[in-house]
């Protein structure tokens, strides 16, 4: 049975293990295994539960997908969308994105991905996101594409 639920801090170790598996291809593409998703600690992830809504996608009692988001100043910042490689290209990422967006009634959504991650950029564009800037963050050498989507739902 597949379903999406809000993750709890007890899920952190399973989500972190998934994160290391899911972001391995990003690290390989960037030629950099020191990217933040690969070096994040369990303590660091547990701390994020205080600031982010974390969703998990469950299949046969295992977490195979996850996404995080928080909101401030009218913008929902979405991060760490991940799906286990064995389950990619089955619509799970799309379902997770729609669910996290539905949890935040904002006028704008924002996320970023590696500028070399053409598959990710295309995926987000299909969901209505558009690039608005590229930037290298201090934390690593990767150049990121920042993407946004305006919420067009009317009350």
């Amino acid at each position: 049975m597949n379903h999406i639920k809000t993750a709890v801090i007890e899920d952190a170790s399973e989500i972190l293990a998934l994160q290391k598996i899911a972001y391995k291809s990003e690290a390989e593409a960037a030629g950099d295994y020191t990217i933040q998703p690969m070096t994040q600690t369990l303590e660091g992830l547990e701390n994020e539960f205080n600031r982010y809504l974390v969703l998990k996608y469950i299949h046969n009692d295992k977490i195979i997908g996850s996404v995080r988001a928080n909101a401030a100043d009218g913008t929902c910042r979405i991060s760490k969308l991940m799906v286990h490689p064995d389950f990619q290209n089955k619509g799970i990422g799309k379902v997770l994105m729609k669910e996290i967006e539905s949890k935040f009634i904002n006028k704008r959504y924002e996320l970023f991905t590696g500028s070399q991650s053409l598959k990710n950029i295309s995926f987000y564009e299909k969901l209505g996101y558009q690039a608005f800037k590229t930037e290298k963050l201090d934390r690593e050498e990767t150049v990121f594409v920042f993407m946004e989507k305006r919420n067009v739902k009317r009350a």
Side-chain angles (χ1 to χ4, degrees), residues 43-101:
E43 181 182 10
L45 176 54
E46 288 173 342
N47 289 335
E48 288 187 10
F49 276 79
N50 297 321
R51 301 185 322 272
Y52 289 84
L53 170 64
V54 182
L55 298 181
K56 61 184 177 180
Y57 187 99
I58 301 168
H59 173 75
N60 292 338
D61 296 322
K62 295 190 85 155
I63 298 172
I64 61 161
S66 183
V67 65
R68 301 167 212 175
N70 65 6
D73 303 322
T75 296
C76 171
R77 288 176 177 78
I78 299 171
S79 66
K80 303 263 187 352
L81 173 66
M82 64 188 92
V83 176
H84 191 286
D86 292 345
F87 295 91
Q88 290 179 359
N89 303 309
K90 298 181 186 313
I92 295 168
K94 183 178 179 179
V95 171
L96 280 165
M97 285 295 291
K98 287 184 181 282
E99 185 68 19
I100 201 77
E101 288 174 357

Side-chain angles (χ1 to χ4, degrees), residues 18-33 35 37-38 81-85 88 113 116-120:
L18 170 63
Q19 181 173 303
K20 306 281 185 187
I21 293 166
Y23 277 87
K24 184 178 180 200
S25 62
E26 288 293 306
E28 288 172 350
D32 182 2
Y33 287 85
I35 61 173
M38 296 298 287
L81 173 66
M82 64 188 92
V83 176
H84 191 286
Q88 290 179 359
T113 190
Q116 301 300 311
S117 302
L118 302 181
K119 185 176 174 184
N120 291 352

Side-chain angles (χ1 to χ4, degrees), residues 1 22 32 128 132 137-138:
M1 183 170 169
D32 182 2
F132 70 92
L137 303 179
D138 291 338

